[in-house]
Amino acid sequence: MKALNYSPEHLTSNRRLFWIAAVLGVIMMTPVAWIIGLSLKDNAELLRGTEAVFSMPYTLVNYANILKSSSVFSWFMNSMIVAIGQTVGVLLLSSLAGYAFARLEFPFRKTLFIIVLFGLAVPEQAVIIARHQMFNWFDLHNTHIGLILPNLSSAFGVFLMTQFFRAIPKEIDEAAMLDNASTFRIFWKVLLPLTLPAQATLGIFTFLQAWNDYWWPLISATKSDMYTLTIGIASSQTNFAQSEGLGFLGAQAVFASLPVVIVYIFFQRHIVTAVSGGAVK
């Protein structure tokens, strides 16, 4: 086997890129390390100063206090219900719409698809007043349904699934038709399993957006028992005098980040597959 020869300029360039990436990685991870350090320090020690964040001793008392706090778990469950509800709803509706735009023939299909894409250009703030009034008329504020419904229509999700369905060869549909498969069966049993990488990507993005959403829950959830984690933690920060200390706030932030990290770890390989376009050979 012939050995690969690299010029000194090439090696120097690679080394430079490596150090730049390393420095950027350290800069990006510094706030994460700082908040984890705060969460592991005793609140009495933090009252004397935060310069001892990266020095011993450490304690898990702040995480134990979370286990004892009913409000934090109530916020956690609200966030989980909203995030899972939005994710399932977006995946189902986007898959159905994507299949229809990619595979079915119906009047004004291209026009309707363009109208859907216009949704990418409309900011949420532009429709917030009308949405607030509509939800107020139907008495949907301070309900899980009221927190889930607004984000079920995902223009990005419809576009992503449409493009992924278009990339699947139509010969697969024709083969299924020869076996007398119905249109819905072709969608559900044949084509939908082939879109798992795209669904995983869309699901992660949707879950992340729903979990971190602050704008709509701030408007719709006015009762403390309907707070999501983002609103609950923010309310603890604005009422710092009533909170249990800076370390407890740091532990809440770490606790709130864990589901997103876990979801990404389990589904990251699907994102790579979807981006590389390797779902269909």
Side-chain angles (χ1 to χ4, degrees), residues 85-200:
Q86 282 190 20
T87 302
V88 173
V90 167
L91 288 177
L92 179 61
L93 296 177
S94 297
S95 297
L96 288 169
Y99 174 77
F101 283 124
R103 284 295 202 263
L104 303 182
E105 295 290 341
F106 54 90
F108 307 109
R109 183 183 66 168
K110 293 183 179 179
T111 303
L112 290 174
F113 186 66
I114 293 174
I115 293 175
V116 170
L117 294 183
F118 277 151
L120 294 171
V122 179
E124 183 181 9
Q125 292 78 3
V127 298
I128 198 68
I129 296 178
R131 179 193 295 174
H132 173 70
Q133 291 177 337
M134 289 175 60
F135 277 65
N136 190 44
W137 292 338
F138 292 103
D139 197 24
L140 290 175
H141 287 307
N142 291 302
T143 64
H144 291 120
I145 296 297
L147 294 173
I148 293 173
L149 279 179
N151 295 315
L152 288 185
S153 56
S154 172
F156 169 75
V158 174
F159 172 76
L160 177 67
M161 296 307 299
T162 300
Q163 297 305 111
F164 213 85
F165 275 116
R166 284 176 177 172
I168 300 175
K170 290 189 176 182
E171 288 78 7
I172 296 179
D173 303 51
E174 296 169 357
M177 290 179 182
L178 292 177
D179 291 334
N180 295 322
S182 63
T183 301
F184 182 77
R185 186 178 180 184
I186 294 174
F187 162 74
W188 188 257
K189 294 288 187 180
V190 180
L191 298 184
L192 193 62
L194 298 178
T195 66
L196 286 180
Q199 291 184 63

Side-chain angles (χ1 to χ4, degrees), residues 75 227-238 249 252-254 256:
W75 303 339
Y227 283 175
T228 57
L229 268 174
T230 52
I231 305 302
I233 293 175
S235 67
S236 299
Q237 293 172 342
T238 54
L249 293 179
Q252 285 181 318
V254 174

